[in-house]
Amino acid sequence: MEDILIRCTSNDGSIRLFCCTTINIVEEARLIHNTYPVATAALGRMLTAGSMMGTMLKSEKDSITLQINGKGPIGSIIVVSDISGDVRGFIANPFVDLKPNDKGKFDVGGAVGTDGVFTVIKDLGLKEPYIGQVPIVNGEIGDDIASYFVSSEQTPTAVALGVRLTQNGTVNSAGGFIAQVMPNADEKTIDLLERNVLNIKSVTDVIAENGLKGLLDRVMNKIEYTVHEKKIIRYRCNCNRDRLEKALIALGEENIREIIEEQGQAELVCHFCNNKYQFNKEELEDILNKAIND
Ligand SMILES: [Zn+2]
């Protein structure tokens, strides 16, 4: 079964809702990065949020990057998405092993840490990217993203993100929702939404039992809504040889010369998908010429 993202609004215009399943996306990320369980949960929550926030963009050329670093053992997590909702991610230390927290859940907050910031970078094709930053609330990611929407975009937002694993660490449920209150929203609808959100104890249980439609029905219980978009989302990297060649050129003449003299070749590994790109001596000399003429 594929991962699906749904975008809808309440019929009275008070709420817009994004919800998705990310079981395959998080499992693929786990396989690429070889993450331990708590790291799978942390990266998975970021990927889930990144996908939904990607689909909030306006143009196909735009992209969004979410970054969190709370000086915890995981280091930073970076995810990148675009309007398609396809997403890719990187985690600095995938081999973090922590005991469950006092609620018996993955201690994502402990793994991420709370001494730092959550950053959103939107490349909207303008001269400078938009950068929004908020202090980390608790490192659990859902609350940090809600805080970002309230402080940086002035939009009251409820966020729930979840990843559930089997005993041997594979992903068996993942997904979440972002529900936003629109300007001039109806108080009654807001009350209903708040109640519905509080009633959902675990998004991963709802998804496992009733699928994405089940989650949608729970968040929008007693609220009339219209679905505007329903699409398949994937883990997708857009690296290619050309991009990595540009990265090498950007190292500059001196550094490229050093690589040629000391190593005679170069192997670059994409941080998001682990694809390897080899450059032999002749290719590096070609790159050096491009750097000189840059
Ligand atoms: Zn890649």
Side-chain angles (χ1 to χ4, degrees):
M1 223 171 55
E2 284 171 304
D3 290 325
I4 303 285
L5 184 144
I6 289 176
R7 182 169 62 84
C8 67
T9 52
S10 66
N11 289 353
D12 69 355
S14 296
I15 294 160
R16 73 167 181 170
L17 172 72
F18 300 80
C19 60
C20 64
T21 55
T22 50
I23 301 153
N24 302 290
I25 288 173
V26 182
E27 177 63 9
E28 185 154 353
R30 184 187 75 81
L31 291 169
I32 290 169
H33 297 287
N34 224 343
T35 43
Y36 285 12
V38 71
T40 310
L43 178 58
R45 290 184 196 177
M46 283 285 282
L47 288 164
T48 303
S51 175
M52 290 188 277
M53 289 171 73
T55 63
M56 294 176 188
L57 294 167
K58 300 281 184 288
S59 153
E60 275 175 27
K61 289 182 189 140
D62 299 348
S63 73
I64 186 166
T65 303
L66 313 184
Q67 187 173 357
I68 194 162
N69 189 341
K71 301 197 176 76
I74 268 178
S76 51
I77 301 175
I78 298 166
V79 304
V80 184
S81 183
D82 57 31
I83 199 168
S84 72
D86 290 351
V87 65
R88 59 189 186 272
F90 163 79
I91 182 163
N93 181 12
F95 312 125
V96 172
D97 197 10
L98 289 182
K99 279 195 286 245
N101 62 21
D102 51 17
K103 289 178 194 144
K105 299 204 169 178
F106 293 120
D107 189 6
V108 171
V112 169
T114 53
D115 180 15
V117 288
F118 173 73
T119 309
V120 174
I121 303 160
K122 290 187 210 172
D123 184 348
L124 307 174
L126 306 169
K127 212 168 171 192
E128 301 286 334
Y130 160 90
I131 300 176
Q133 211 163 49
V134 289
I136 292 175
V137 178
N138 57 14
E140 294 283 332
I141 297 164
D143 293 339
D144 302 302
I145 287 169
S147 160
Y148 161 77
F149 277 114
V150 172
S151 339
S152 292
E153 302 199 2
Q154 288 77 46
T155 308
T157 303
V159 182
L161 308 165
V163 174
R164 199 174 85 178
L165 307 181
T166 61
Q167 286 290 337
N168 53 19
T170 59
V171 180
N172 75 358
S173 182
F177 65 82
I178 297 178
Q180 301 195 300
V181 176
M182 298 288 97
N184 308 316
D186 186 274
E187 284 298 329
K188 272 187 216 137
T189 314
I190 298 173
D191 284 348
L192 277 170
L193 176 71
E194 279 176 354
R195 207 171 309 164
N196 294 346
V197 168
L198 280 174
N199 274 333
I200 300 171
K201 299 290 175 247
S202 158
V203 284
T204 49
D205 286 353
V206 176
I207 289 168
E209 281 155 30
N210 303 105
L212 185 59
K213 181 69 170 61
L215 180 62
L216 179 56
D217 286 342
R218 290 283 293 275
V219 181
M220 296 302 250
N221 184 31
K222 293 181 183 156
I223 302 170
E224 283 183 37
Y225 65 86
T226 304
V227 171
H228 300 289
E229 193 177 22
K230 181 177 180 182
K231 63 178 167 192
I232 294 167
I233 49 172
R234 299 182 187 85
Y235 191 101
R236 181 169 56 85
C237 190
N238 63 353
C239 67
N240 56 42
R241 214 179 154 77
D242 216 38
R243 256 169 218 262
L244 288 162
E245 189 180 303
K246 286 201 181 91
L248 279 171
I249 292 169
L251 286 177
E253 195 184 330
E254 214 168 299
N255 287 319
I256 302 168
R257 237 184 254 285
E258 212 174 281
I259 296 170
I260 295 171
E261 277 161 24
E262 286 173 13
Q263 295 160 41
Q265 50 134 8
E267 180 183 271
L268 298 192
V269 181
C270 172
H271 284 316
F272 292 106
C273 69
N274 279 350
N275 265 350
K276 292 183 176 67
Y277 295 86
Q278 320 275 351
F279 294 88
N280 64 27
K281 197 169 180 183
E282 276 166 30
E283 288 163 331
L284 285 173
E285 275 161 359
D286 201 38
I287 286 165
L288 175 63
N289 281 327
K290 284 181 187 162
I292 292 167
N293 299 320
D294 218 12

